[in-house]
Coordinates of all heavy atoms in Angstrom, one line a residue:
R1249 N 127.6 134.1 93.0 CA 126.6 133.2 92.5 C 125.9 132.6 93.6 O 126.3 132.4 94.7 CB 127.2 132.2 91.5 CG 128.1 131.2 92.3 CD 128.8 130.3 91.3 NE 129.7 129.4 92.0 CZ 129.4 128.2 92.5 NH1 128.1 127.8 92.3 NH2 130.2 127.5 93.2
A1250 N 124.7 132.1 93.3 CA 123.8 131.4 94.3 C 124.5 130.0 94.6 O 125.0 129.4 93.7 CB 122.5 131.2 93.8
P1251 N 124.5 129.6 95.9 CA 125.0 128.3 96.2 C 124.2 127.2 95.6 O 122.9 127.3 95.5 CB 125.0 128.3 97.7 CG 123.9 129.3 98.0 CD 123.9 130.3 97.0
S1252 N 124.8 126.2 95.1 CA 124.1 125.0 94.6 C 124.2 123.9 95.6 O 125.2 123.9 96.4 CB 124.6 124.6 93.2 OG 125.5 123.6 93.4
R1253 N 123.4 123.0 95.6 CA 123.4 121.9 96.6 C 124.7 121.1 96.4 O 125.1 120.3 97.3 CB 122.2 121.0 96.5 CG 122.0 120.4 95.2 CD 120.7 119.6 95.2 NE 120.9 118.4 95.9 CZ 120.0 117.6 96.4 NH1 118.7 118.0 96.3 NH2 120.2 116.5 97.1
H1254 N 125.3 121.2 95.3 CA 126.5 120.4 95.1 C 127.8 121.0 95.7 O 128.9 120.5 95.7 CB 126.8 120.1 93.6 CG 125.7 119.2 93.0 ND1 125.6 117.9 93.4 CD2 124.6 119.5 92.3 CE1 124.5 117.4 92.8 NE2 123.9 118.4 92.1
D1255 N 127.6 122.3 96.3 CA 128.7 122.9 97.0 C 128.9 122.2 98.4 O 129.9 122.5 99.0 CB 128.4 124.4 97.2 CG 128.5 125.1 95.8 OD1 129.2 124.6 94.9 OD2 127.9 126.2 95.7
V1256 N 127.9 121.6 98.9 CA 127.9 121.0 100.2 C 127.7 119.5 100.1 O 127.4 118.9 99.1 CB 126.9 121.7 101.1 CG1 127.2 123.1 101.4 CG2 125.5 121.5 100.5
E1257 N 127.9 118.8 101.2 CA 127.8 117.4 101.3 C 126.3 117.0 101.1 O 126.0 115.9 100.7 CB 128.3 116.8 102.5 CG 129.8 117.0 102.8 CD 130.2 116.5 104.1 OE1 130.3 115.3 104.3 OE2 130.5 117.4 105.0
G1258 N 125.4 117.9 101.4 CA 124.0 117.5 101.4 C 123.2 118.6 102.0 O 123.7 119.6 102.5
V1259 N 121.9 118.4 102.0 CA 121.0 119.3 102.7 C 120.3 118.7 103.9 O 120.3 117.4 103.9 CB 119.9 119.9 101.7 CG1 120.6 120.9 100.7 CG2 119.2 118.9 101.1
M1260 N 119.8 119.4 104.8 CA 119.3 118.8 106.0 C 118.1 119.7 106.5 O 118.0 120.9 106.2 CB 120.3 118.7 107.1 CG 120.8 120.0 107.6 SD 122.0 119.8 109.0 CE 123.5 119.3 108.1
M1261 N 117.2 119.1 107.2 CA 116.1 119.8 107.8 C 115.8 119.1 109.1 O 116.1 118.0 109.4 CB 114.8 119.7 106.9 CG 114.2 118.3 106.7 SD 112.7 118.4 105.8 CE 112.4 116.7 105.3
R1262 N 115.2 120.0 110.0 CA 114.7 119.4 111.3 C 113.3 118.9 111.1 O 112.5 119.6 110.5 CB 114.8 120.5 112.4 CG 114.7 119.9 113.7 CD 115.1 120.9 114.8 NE 115.1 120.3 116.1 CZ 115.5 121.0 117.2 NH1 115.7 122.3 117.1 NH2 115.5 120.4 118.4
W1263 N 113.0 117.8 111.7 CA 111.7 117.2 111.6 C 111.2 116.9 112.9 O 111.5 116.0 113.6 CB 111.8 115.9 110.7 CG 110.5 115.3 110.4 CD1 109.7 114.5 111.3 CD2 109.7 115.4 109.2 NE1 108.5 114.2 110.7 CE2 108.5 114.7 109.4 CE3 110.0 116.0 108.0 CZ2 107.5 114.5 108.4 CZ3 109.0 115.8 107.0 CH2 107.8 115.1 107.2
M1264 N 110.3 117.9 113.5 CA 109.8 117.8 114.8 C 108.8 116.7 115.1 O 108.9 116.0 116.1 CB 109.4 119.2 115.4 CG 110.5 120.2 115.4 SD 111.8 119.8 116.5 CE 110.9 120.0 118.1
P1265 N 107.7 116.7 114.3 CA 106.7 115.6 114.6 C 107.1 114.2 114.3 O 108.2 114.0 113.7 CB 105.6 116.1 113.7 CG 106.2 116.7 112.5 CD 107.4 117.4 113.1
P1266 N 106.3 113.3 114.8 CA 106.6 111.9 114.5 C 106.8 111.7 113.0 O 106.1 112.3 112.2 CB 105.4 111.1 115.0 CG 104.9 112.0 116.1 CD 105.2 113.4 115.7
L1267 N 107.7 110.9 112.6 CA 108.0 110.7 111.2 C 107.3 109.4 110.7 O 107.7 108.3 111.2 CB 109.5 110.6 111.0 CG 110.0 110.3 109.6 CD1 109.6 111.5 108.7 CD2 111.6 110.3 109.6
V1268 N 106.4 109.5 109.8 CA 105.7 108.4 109.3 C 106.3 107.9 108.1 O 106.4 108.6 107.1 CB 104.2 108.7 109.2 CG1 103.5 107.4 108.7 CG2 103.6 109.1 110.5
I1269 N 106.7 106.6 108.1 CA 107.2 106.0 106.8 C 106.4 104.8 106.5 O 106.3 103.9 107.4 CB 108.7 105.6 107.0 CG1 109.5 106.8 107.4 CG2 109.3 105.0 105.7 CD1 111.0 106.5 107.8
D1270 N 105.9 104.7 105.3 CA 105.0 103.6 104.9 C 103.9 103.3 105.9 O 103.6 102.1 106.3 CB 105.9 102.3 104.8 CG 106.8 102.3 103.5 OD1 106.5 103.2 102.7 OD2 107.7 101.5 103.4
G1271 N 103.3 104.4 106.5 CA 102.2 104.2 107.3 C 102.5 103.9 108.8 O 101.6 103.7 109.6
E1272 N 103.8 103.8 109.1 CA 104.2 103.5 110.5 C 105.1 104.6 111.0 O 105.9 105.2 110.3 CB 105.0 102.2 110.5 CG 104.1 101.0 110.3 CD 104.9 99.7 110.4 OE1 106.0 99.8 111.0 OE2 104.4 98.7 109.9
V1273 N 104.9 104.9 112.3 CA 105.7 105.9 112.9 C 107.1 105.3 113.1 O 107.3 104.3 113.7 CB 105.2 106.4 114.3 CG1 106.2 107.3 115.0 CG2 103.9 107.0 114.2
H1274 N 108.1 106.0 112.6 CA 109.5 105.5 112.6 C 110.2 105.8 114.0 O 110.1 106.9 114.4 CB 110.3 106.1 111.5 CG 111.7 105.6 111.4 ND1 112.0 104.4 111.1 CD2 112.8 106.3 111.8 CE1 113.4 104.3 111.2 NE2 113.9 105.3 111.6
A1275 N 110.7 104.8 114.6 CA 111.4 105.0 115.8 C 112.9 104.7 115.6 O 113.3 103.8 114.9 CB 110.9 104.1 116.9
C1276 N 113.8 105.4 116.4 CA 115.2 105.1 116.3 C 115.4 103.6 116.7 O 115.0 103.3 117.8 CB 116.0 106.1 117.2 SG 117.7 105.7 117.3
P1277 N 116.2 102.9 115.9 CA 116.4 101.5 116.3 C 117.3 101.4 117.6 O 117.3 100.3 118.2 CB 117.1 100.9 115.1 CG 117.6 102.0 114.3 CD 116.7 103.2 114.6
Q1278 N 118.0 102.4 117.9 CA 118.9 102.3 119.1 C 118.3 102.8 120.3 O 118.6 102.3 121.4 CB 120.2 103.1 118.8 CG 121.1 102.3 117.7 CD 122.3 103.0 117.3 OE1 122.2 103.8 116.4 NE2 123.4 102.9 118.1
C1279 N 117.5 103.9 120.3 CA 117.0 104.5 121.5 C 115.5 104.7 121.5 O 114.9 105.2 122.4 CB 117.7 105.8 121.8 SG 117.3 107.1 120.7
S1280 N 114.8 104.3 120.4 CA 113.3 104.3 120.3 C 112.7 105.6 120.3 O 111.5 105.8 120.4 CB 112.7 103.4 121.4 OG 113.2 102.1 121.4
T1281 N 113.4 106.7 120.2 CA 112.8 108.0 120.1 C 112.1 108.1 118.7 O 112.5 107.4 117.8 CB 113.8 109.2 120.3 OG1 113.1 110.4 120.4 CG2 114.7 109.3 119.1
Y1282 N 111.1 108.9 118.7 CA 110.3 108.9 117.4 C 110.0 110.3 116.9 O 109.2 110.5 116.0 CB 109.0 108.1 117.5 CG 108.1 108.7 118.5 CD1 107.1 109.5 118.2 CD2 108.2 108.3 119.9 CE1 106.2 110.1 119.2 CE2 107.4 108.8 120.9 CZ 106.4 109.7 120.5 OH 105.5 110.2 121.4
R1283 N 110.6 111.3 117.6 CA 110.4 112.7 117.1 C 111.7 113.5 117.2 O 112.7 113.1 117.8 CB 109.3 113.4 117.8 CG 109.6 113.5 119.3 CD 108.5 114.4 120.0 NE 107.2 113.8 120.1 CZ 106.1 114.3 119.7 NH1 106.0 115.5 119.3 NH2 105.0 113.7 119.9
D1284 N 111.6 114.7 116.6 CA 112.8 115.6 116.6 C 114.0 115.0 115.9 O 115.1 114.9 116.4 CB 113.2 116.0 118.1 CG 114.2 117.1 118.1 OD1 114.4 117.8 117.0 OD2 114.7 117.5 119.1
W1285 N 113.8 114.6 114.6 CA 114.8 114.1 113.7 C 115.5 115.2 113.0 O 114.9 116.3 112.8 CB 114.2 113.2 112.7 CG 113.5 112.0 113.3 CD1 112.1 112.0 113.5 CD2 114.0 110.8 113.7 NE1 111.8 110.7 114.0 CE2 112.9 110.0 114.1 CE3 115.4 110.3 113.6 CZ2 113.1 108.7 114.5 CZ3 115.5 109.0 114.1 CH2 114.4 108.2 114.5
I1286 N 116.8 115.0 112.7 CA 117.4 115.7 111.6 C 117.4 114.8 110.4 O 117.8 113.6 110.5 CB 118.8 116.1 111.9 CG1 118.9 117.0 113.1 CG2 119.5 116.8 110.7 CD1 118.3 118.4 113.0
V1287 N 116.9 115.3 109.2 CA 116.8 114.5 108.0 C 117.8 115.0 107.1 O 117.8 116.2 106.7 CB 115.4 114.5 107.4 CG1 115.4 113.6 106.2 CG2 114.3 114.1 108.4
F1288 N 118.8 114.2 106.6 CA 119.8 114.6 105.6 C 119.4 114.0 104.3 O 119.0 112.9 104.2 CB 121.1 114.0 106.0 CG 121.7 114.4 107.3 CD1 121.5 113.6 108.4 CD2 122.4 115.6 107.5 CE1 122.0 113.9 109.7 CE2 122.9 116.0 108.7 CZ 122.7 115.1 109.8
N1289 N 119.6 114.9 103.3 CA 119.6 114.4 101.9 C 120.9 114.6 101.3 O 121.3 115.7 101.0 CB 118.5 115.1 101.1 CG 118.4 114.6 99.7 OD1 117.8 115.4 98.9 ND2 118.9 113.5 99.4
M1290 N 121.7 113.5 101.2 CA 123.1 113.7 100.7 C 123.2 113.8 99.2 O 122.2 113.5 98.5 CB 123.9 112.5 101.2 CG 123.8 112.2 102.7 SD 124.2 113.6 103.7 CE 125.9 113.5 103.8
N1291 N 124.3 114.1 98.7 CA 124.4 114.4 97.3 C 124.3 113.2 96.4 O 124.1 113.2 95.2 CB 125.8 115.1 97.0 CG 125.6 116.6 97.3 OD1 124.5 117.2 97.4 ND2 126.8 117.2 97.4
D1292 N 124.4 112.0 97.0 CA 124.1 110.8 96.2 C 122.7 110.4 96.3 O 122.3 109.3 95.9 CB 125.0 109.6 96.8 CG 124.7 109.3 98.2 OD1 123.8 109.9 98.8 OD2 125.4 108.4 98.8
D1293 N 121.8 111.3 96.8 CA 120.3 111.1 96.9 C 119.9 110.2 98.0 O 118.8 109.9 98.2 CB 119.7 110.7 95.6 CG 119.6 111.9 94.6 OD1 119.8 113.0 95.0 OD2 119.3 111.6 93.4
S1294 N 120.9 109.7 98.8 CA 120.4 108.9 99.9 C 119.9 109.8 101.0 O 120.2 111.0 101.1 CB 121.6 108.1 100.5 OG 122.6 109.0 101.0
V1295 N 119.0 109.3 101.9 CA 118.4 110.0 103.0 C 118.8 109.3 104.3 O 118.7 108.1 104.4 CB 116.9 110.1 102.8 CG1 116.3 110.7 104.1 CG2 116.5 110.9 101.6
W1296 N 119.3 110.1 105.2 CA 119.8 109.6 106.5 C 118.9 110.3 107.6 O 118.5 111.5 107.4 CB 121.2 110.0 106.7 CG 122.2 109.3 105.8 CD1 122.4 109.5 104.5 CD2 123.0 108.2 106.2 NE1 123.3 108.6 104.1 CE2 123.8 107.8 105.0 CE3 123.3 107.6 107.4 CZ2 124.7 106.8 105.1 CZ3 124.2 106.5 107.4 CH2 125.0 106.1 106.3
L1297 N 118.7 109.6 108.7 CA 118.0 110.2 109.8 C 118.9 110.2 111.0 O 119.7 109.2 111.2 CB 116.8 109.2 110.1 CG 115.7 109.1 109.0 CD1 114.6 108.1 109.5 CD2 115.1 110.5 108.7
R1298 N 118.8 111.3 111.7 CA 119.6 111.4 113.0 C 118.7 111.8 114.1 O 117.9 112.7 114.0 CB 120.6 112.5 112.8 CG 121.5 112.7 114.0 CD 122.4 113.9 113.7 NE 123.0 114.4 114.9 CZ 124.4 114.2 115.2 NH1 125.1 113.6 114.3 NH2 124.9 114.6 116.3
C1299 N 118.7 111.0 115.2 CA 117.8 111.2 116.3 C 118.5 112.2 117.2 O 119.7 112.5 117.1 CB 117.5 109.9 117.0 SG 118.7 109.3 118.1
P1300 N 117.7 112.7 118.3 CA 118.3 113.7 119.1 C 119.6 113.2 119.9 O 120.3 113.9 120.3 CB 117.2 114.0 120.1 CG 115.9 113.6 119.4 CD 116.3 112.5 118.5
A1301 N 119.7 111.8 120.0 CA 120.8 111.2 120.7 C 122.0 111.1 119.8 O 123.1 110.7 120.2 CB 120.4 110.0 121.3
G1302 N 121.9 111.5 118.6 CA 123.0 111.4 117.6 C 123.1 110.1 116.9 O 124.1 109.9 116.2
H1303 N 122.2 109.2 117.0 CA 122.2 108.0 116.2 C 121.8 108.3 114.8 O 120.8 108.8 114.5 CB 121.3 106.9 116.7 CG 121.5 106.6 118.2 ND1 120.5 106.6 119.2 CD2 122.7 106.3 118.9 CE1 121.0 106.3 120.3 NE2 122.3 106.2 120.2
Q1304 N 122.7 108.0 113.8 CA 122.5 108.3 112.5 C 122.4 107.1 111.6 O 123.4 106.3 111.6 CB 123.6 109.3 112.0 CG 123.4 110.0 110.7 CD 124.4 111.1 110.5 OE1 124.7 111.8 111.4 NE2 124.9 111.2 109.3
V1305 N 121.3 106.9 110.9 CA 121.2 105.7 110.0 C 120.6 106.0 108.7 O 119.8 107.0 108.5 CB 120.2 104.7 110.7 CG1 120.9 104.1 112.0 CG2 118.9 105.3 111.0
L1306 N 121.1 105.3 107.7 CA 120.5 105.4 106.4 C 119.1 104.9 106.4 O 118.8 103.8 107.0 CB 121.4 104.5 105.4 CG 120.9 104.4 103.9 CD1 121.0 105.8 103.3 CD2 121.7 103.4 103.2
E1307 N 118.2 105.6 105.7 CA 116.8 105.2 105.6 C 116.4 104.9 104.1 O 116.1 105.9 103.5 CB 115.8 106.3 106.2 CG 114.4 105.9 106.1 CD 114.1 104.5 106.5 OE1 114.2 104.2 107.7 OE2 113.8 103.6 105.6
P1308 N 116.6 103.7 103.7 CA 116.4 103.5 102.3 C 115.0 103.6 101.7 O 114.8 103.7 100.5 CB 116.9 102.0 102.1 CG 116.8 101.4 103.5 CD 116.9 102.5 104.5
R1309 N 114.0 103.7 102.6 CA 112.6 103.9 102.1 C 112.4 105.3 101.8 O 111.4 105.7 101.2 CB 111.7 103.5 103.2 CG 111.6 101.9 103.4 CD 110.8 101.5 104.6 NE 111.4 102.0 105.8 CZ 110.8 101.9 107.0 NH1 109.7 101.2 107.1 NH2 111.4 102.4 108.1
L1310 N 113.3 106.2 102.2 CA 113.1 107.6 101.8 C 114.2 108.0 100.8 O 115.3 107.4 100.8 CB 113.3 108.5 103.0 CG 112.3 108.2 104.2 CD1 112.6 109.2 105.3 CD2 110.9 108.4 103.7
D1311 N 113.8 109.0 99.9 CA 114.8 109.3 98.9 C 114.7 110.9 98.6 O 114.0 111.5 99.3 CB 114.6 108.5 97.6 CG 113.2 108.7 97.0 OD1 112.5 109.7 97.5 OD2 112.8 108.0 96.1
A1312 N 115.5 111.3 97.7 CA 115.5 112.8 97.4 C 114.1 113.3 97.1 O 113.8 114.4 97.4 CB 116.6 113.1 96.3
A1313 N 113.4 112.6 96.3 CA 112.0 113.0 95.9 C 111.2 113.2 97.1 O 110.4 114.2 97.2 CB 111.4 112.0 94.9
W1314 N 111.2 112.3 98.1 CA 110.5 112.5 99.3 C 111.0 113.7 100.0 O 110.2 114.5 100.5 CB 110.7 111.2 100.2 CG 110.1 111.4 101.5 CD1 108.8 111.0 101.9 CD2 110.6 111.9 102.7 NE1 108.5 111.3 103.2 CE2 109.6 111.9 103.7 CE3 111.8 112.5 103.0 CZ2 109.8 112.4 105.0 CZ3 112.0 113.0 104.3 CH2 111.1 112.9 105.3
F1315 N 112.3 113.8 100.1 CA 112.9 114.9 100.9 C 112.4 116.3 100.3 O 111.9 117.2 100.9 CB 114.4 114.9 100.8 CG 115.0 115.9 101.7 CD1 115.5 115.6 103.0 CD2 115.3 117.2 101.2 CE1 116.0 116.5 103.8 CE2 115.9 118.2 102.0 CZ 116.3 117.8 103.3
N1316 N 112.4 116.4 98.9 CA 112.0 117.6 98.2 C 110.5 117.9 98.4 O 110.1 119.1 98.4 CB 112.5 117.6 96.8 CG 114.0 117.6 96.6 OD1 114.6 118.2 97.4 ND2 114.5 117.0 95.6
R1317 N 109.7 116.9 98.5 CA 108.3 117.1 98.7 C 108.0 117.6 100.1 O 107.1 118.4 100.3 CB 107.6 115.7 98.6 CG 107.1 115.4 97.2 CD 106.0 114.4 97.2 NE 106.2 113.2 98.0 CZ 107.0 112.2 97.6 NH1 107.5 112.1 96.4 NH2 107.1 111.1 98.4
N1318 N 108.8 117.2 101.1 CA 108.6 117.6 102.4 C 109.4 118.7 103.0 O 109.1 119.2 104.1 CB 108.8 116.3 103.3 CG 107.7 115.3 103.1 OD1 106.6 115.4 103.6 ND2 108.1 114.3 102.2
C1319 N 110.4 119.1 102.3 CA 111.3 120.1 102.8 C 110.9 121.5 102.2 O 110.5 121.6 101.1 CB 112.8 119.8 102.2 SG 113.9 121.1 102.7
G1320 N 110.9 122.5 103.1 CA 110.6 123.8 102.6 C 111.8 124.4 101.9 O 112.8 123.6 101.7
P1321 N 111.7 125.6 101.4 CA 112.9 126.2 100.7 C 114.1 126.2 101.7 O 114.0 126.4 102.9 CB 112.4 127.5 100.4 CG 111.0 127.7 100.7 CD 110.6 126.5 101.6
V1322 N 115.2 125.8 101.1 CA 116.5 125.8 101.9 C 117.0 127.2 102.0 O 117.2 127.9 101.1 CB 117.6 124.9 101.2 CG1 118.8 125.0 102.0 CG2 117.0 123.5 101.1
D1323 N 117.0 127.7 103.3 CA 117.3 129.0 103.5 C 118.7 129.2 104.2 O 119.2 130.4 104.3 CB 116.3 129.8 104.4 CG 116.1 129.1 105.7 OD1 116.6 127.9 105.9 OD2 115.5 129.7 106.6
H1324 N 119.3 128.2 104.6 CA 120.6 128.3 105.2 C 121.6 127.3 104.5 O 121.2 126.1 104.3 CB 120.6 128.1 106.7 CG 120.0 129.2 107.4 ND1 118.6 129.3 107.7 CD2 120.6 130.3 108.0 CE1 118.4 130.5 108.3 NE2 119.6 131.1 108.5
W1325 N 122.8 127.7 104.4 CA 123.8 126.8 103.8 C 125.0 126.7 104.8 O 125.4 127.7 105.4 CB 124.3 127.3 102.5 CG 123.2 127.3 101.5 CD1 122.3 128.3 101.3 CD2 122.9 126.2 100.6 NE1 121.4 127.8 100.3 CE2 121.7 126.6 99.9 CE3 123.4 124.9 100.4 CZ2 121.1 125.8 99.0 CZ3 122.8 124.1 99.5 CH2 121.7 124.5 98.8
H1326 N 125.4 125.5 105.0 CA 126.5 125.3 106.1 C 127.6 124.6 105.4 O 127.5 123.7 104.6 CB 125.9 124.4 107.2 CG 124.6 125.0 107.7 ND1 124.6 126.0 108.6 CD2 123.3 124.7 107.5 CE1 123.3 126.3 108.9 NE2 122.5 125.5 108.2
P1327 N 128.8 125.0 105.8 CA 130.0 124.4 105.2 C 130.3 123.0 105.7 O 130.9 122.2 105.0 CB 131.2 125.3 105.7 CG 130.6 126.1 106.9 CD 129.1 126.2 106.7
T1328 N 129.7 122.7 106.9 CA 129.9 121.3 107.4 C 128.6 120.8 108.0 O 127.8 121.6 108.4 CB 131.0 121.2 108.5 OG1 130.5 122.0 109.6 CG2 132.3 121.8 108.0
L1329 N 128.5 119.5 108.1 CA 127.3 119.0 108.8 C 127.2 119.4 110.2 O 126.1 119.7 110.7 CB 127.4 117.5 108.8 CG 127.2 116.8 107.3 CD1 127.2 115.3 107.5 CD2 125.9 117.3 106.7
E1330 N 128.4 119.6 110.9 CA 128.4 120.0 112.3 C 127.8 121.4 112.4 O 127.0 121.7 113.3 CB 129.8 119.9 112.9 CG 130.3 118.5 113.0 CD 130.7 117.9 111.7 OE1 131.0 118.6 110.7 OE2 130.7 116.6 111.7
D1331 N 128.2 122.3 111.5 CA 127.7 123.6 111.5 C 126.2 123.6 111.3 O 125.4 124.3 112.0 CB 128.4 124.4 110.4 CG 128.0 125.9 110.5 OD1 128.3 126.5 111.5 OD2 127.3 126.3 109.6
G1332 N 125.7 122.8 110.4 CA 124.3 122.7 110.2 C 123.5 122.2 111.4 O 122.5 122.6 111.7
L1333 N 124.1 121.2 112.0 CA 123.4 120.6 113.2 C 123.3 121.6 114.3 O 122.3 121.7 115.0 CB 124.2 119.4 113.7 CG 124.1 118.2 112.9 CD1 125.1 117.1 113.3 CD2 122.7 117.6 112.9
R1334 N 124.3 122.5 114.5 CA 124.3 123.5 115.5 C 123.2 124.5 115.1 O 122.4 124.9 116.0 CB 125.7 124.2 115.6 CG 126.6 123.7 116.6 CD 127.7 124.7 117.0 NE 128.4 125.1 115.8 CZ 129.4 124.4 115.2 NH1 129.8 123.3 115.8 NH2 130.0 124.8 114.2
H1335 N 123.1 124.8 113.9 CA 122.0 125.8 113.4 C 120.7 125.2 113.7 O 119.7 125.9 114.1 CB 122.2 126.0 111.9 CG 121.0 126.9 111.4 ND1 120.9 128.2 111.6 CD2 120.0 126.5 110.6 CE1 119.8 128.7 111.0 NE2 119.2 127.6 110.4
L1336 N 120.5 123.9 113.5 CA 119.2 123.3 113.7 C 118.9 122.9 115.1 O 117.9 122.4 115.5 CB 119.1 122.0 112.8 CG 119.1 122.3 111.3 CD1 119.2 121.0 110.6 CD2 117.8 123.0 110.9
G1337 N 119.9 123.1 116.0 CA 119.6 123.0 117.4 C 120.0 121.6 118.0 O 119.6 121.2 119.1
H1338 N 120.7 120.8 117.2 CA 121.2 119.5 117.7 C 122.6 119.6 118.2 O 123.3 120.4 117.9 CB 121.1 118.4 116.6 CG 119.8 117.7 116.6 ND1 119.7 116.3 116.4 CD2 118.5 118.1 116.9 CE1 118.4 116.0 116.5 NE2 117.7 117.0 116.8
Ligands
ZN1692 ZN1 118.6 107.2 118.8

């Protein structure tokens, strides 16, 4: 059967350009980087951002609806977040 998103902890995508939230470019609160994010949409519909340095924070202004609007078709499924991060180049 086709995998469903509930088989995994969540879905993720790589976001290379600056990420604009509420009209402002979002920067990592810890290292101030503003591009090359991994964006996670977890099964509880929360959205997390991970910067290239591995700082991972919940972003409450983003949600599953935002993720689905901005995410292309999910073409890869990963058993673990670590496997997915490797696939995405982090
Ligand atoms: Zn950071």
Side-chain angles (χ1 to χ4, degrees):
R1249 67 187 176 86
S1252 93
R1253 57 181 290 158
H1254 293 289
D1255 291 335
V1256 294
E1257 294 175 78
V1259 291
M1260 62 178 78
M1261 63 173 166
R1262 193 169 188 180
W1263 186 281
M1264 293 297 290
L1267 178 60
V1268 177
I1269 304 173
D1270 290 346
E1272 290 183 14
V1273 175
H1274 180 72
C1276 175
Q1278 288 173 269
C1279 67
S1280 300
T1281 192
Y1282 62 94
R1283 62 170 74 223
D1284 194 8
W1285 301 95
I1286 298 292
V1287 185
F1288 299 97
N1289 180 200
M1290 308 308 277
N1291 280 340
D1292 62 3
D1293 283 348
S1294 63
V1295 170
W1296 293 72
L1297 300 175
R1298 179 188 169 104
C1299 81
H1303 305 130
Q1304 194 168 315
V1305 291
L1306 177 67
E1307 178 46 72
R1309 291 173 296 178
L1310 303 179
D1311 59 15
W1314 176 91
F1315 188 94
N1316 290 328
R1317 272 200 311 277
N1318 289 282
C1319 178
V1322 175
D1323 59 346
H1324 285 90
W1325 295 88
H1326 306 284
T1328 66
L1329 291 181
E1330 289 74 22
D1331 186 67
L1333 287 171
R1334 267 198 303 279
H1335 172 75
L1336 292 171
H1338 266 220

